Amino acid sequence: MAAAVARVERTPETLAGICVLGITSAAIGAGLQIASGPNRHTRGNLYLVGSAESGSGKSETFRHAARPLHEFERDLVERWKLSTLPGLDADKDMIEARINQLRKEAGRAEGGMEREEIRSQLEKAKADLLAVTTAMQAPVLTVEDVTTQRLAGLLAKRGETLASLSADAGAIVNNLLGQYSKLDRTDESIYLKSFSGDFCRVDRQSGEPVLLREPCLAALWLTQPDKVETLLGERSLADGGLIPRLLICHTRAEARPITEDDSGIPAAVAGGYSEMIRDLLTTFRLAKEAKTIEPEPAARRAMNDYFNRIVERRRSDLKDVSTYAARWGEQAWRIAVVIHAGLHGKTAGEHRLQLETAERAIELAEWFAGQQLEILSKGRHAARQSVRDEVLALLADNPAQGITARDVHRARITPTAPEARELLEAMEREGSLTGKDSKPDHGGHVTRTYTKARR
């Protein structure tokens, strides 16, 4: 489907690929998860963000991928209006009539016991009315431009599962950056909780607080490249944990000329994709309880090996982006759930995760990790240079005496002494510092002192 959409709309397969992946994730909701470890289950809800310039075909590509889900939601609402709402409306009228009758009876009641009996009946009738009023909320599967408080309310009334989908997510980015926050700060807490399925409480200025037990949100946001840069540049979103949870990529989509091959998406491809999405929605998204995928031993080993490789790299070349890399293993499990669902459709809960699927998921997770590092590269370089500038400034105060790793650590340029030594050794290899070992005459540890290298 992704390949067909990319060909028809003359866009990179990257753009169509993340759209199909995101819609499949949204169709699963919280209804399918995988046993990713002892006493640990991971769901398939992804937060996908892709950038593309205006006029590059991103809206058309998004529309092809999202059509089955949007049509399913529209049909769901129509069926609800025709077959469910009238009955609820009738129940509401009857309950309200019963409440009015009980109020009249309460006014005529003579004894305390009679009034207490009427009160008990009235209490039950009002509880029934509240239940019916709550049930009269139309089904909602997707949202777009909503405030965080509104999103929390919708999750609470819609089974705690939604998908945030947008072909132009500029408004969503603005919301995340705190556009509607009176505290002038970023507003991402509900997105954090809904990614991991953690308990969440959202207090509102009017009305009762919203309590969510295991919220689940999937996201597919397409936006302008500069909006992606703005998101990544917001330090609080990175420190708070939202940015590391996003699977971000620049799709490099741009305007392309129309070619002679103007054939559309093959009917068999579009039909098969639509059937898959509808099956996933019916079987998993609307399910009352989640089904759990068990991975084959080889698949689990592949996933664990991938996680362990990342752990080793977080101690070396990924140390400065460790908070980002920490999510890569989890993302591989999440992507595996989505691929598995795409392969098996409505029977996905009955099949074990195979090694081939795990390997595909790892490959995709690695690709997204590469995209993430590429986008972060400018900031990583600036951060490294800033630290080196601090070292040179410290050295400028002691040009003749020089500085040691202990001096760098004491100046809080690095959080630990070993990192201070690694930094100074790196600067020596780069040619900006010269190191010299010295040992006290009375014995003791060797100390390496660094001075500015002569050019």
Side-chain angles (χ1 to χ4, degrees), residues 6-82:
R7 176 183 56 79
V8 169
E9 296 301 338
R10 307 176 305 286
T11 56
E13 288 190 357
T14 301
L15 176 58
I18 65 168
C19 287
V20 169
L21 191 69
I23 295 301
T24 307
S25 170
I28 297 168
L32 188 65
Q33 59 187 13
I34 192 164
S36 54
N39 303 315
R40 184 174 71 244
H41 295 94
T42 302
R43 302 184 298 196
N45 58 311
L46 305 174
Y47 283 6
L48 288 153
V49 181
S51 77
E53 297 287 354
S54 294
S56 62
K58 73 174 185 291
S59 295
E60 292 79 5
T61 300
F62 177 92
R63 191 177 302 116
H64 286 299
R67 181 176 290 115
L69 195 158
H70 286 153
E71 289 179 349
F72 183 95
E73 182 174 27
R74 182 194 63 202
D75 293 344
L76 188 67
V77 172
E78 288 301 316
R79 288 196 304 271
W80 178 84
K81 287 181 179 178
L82 293 174

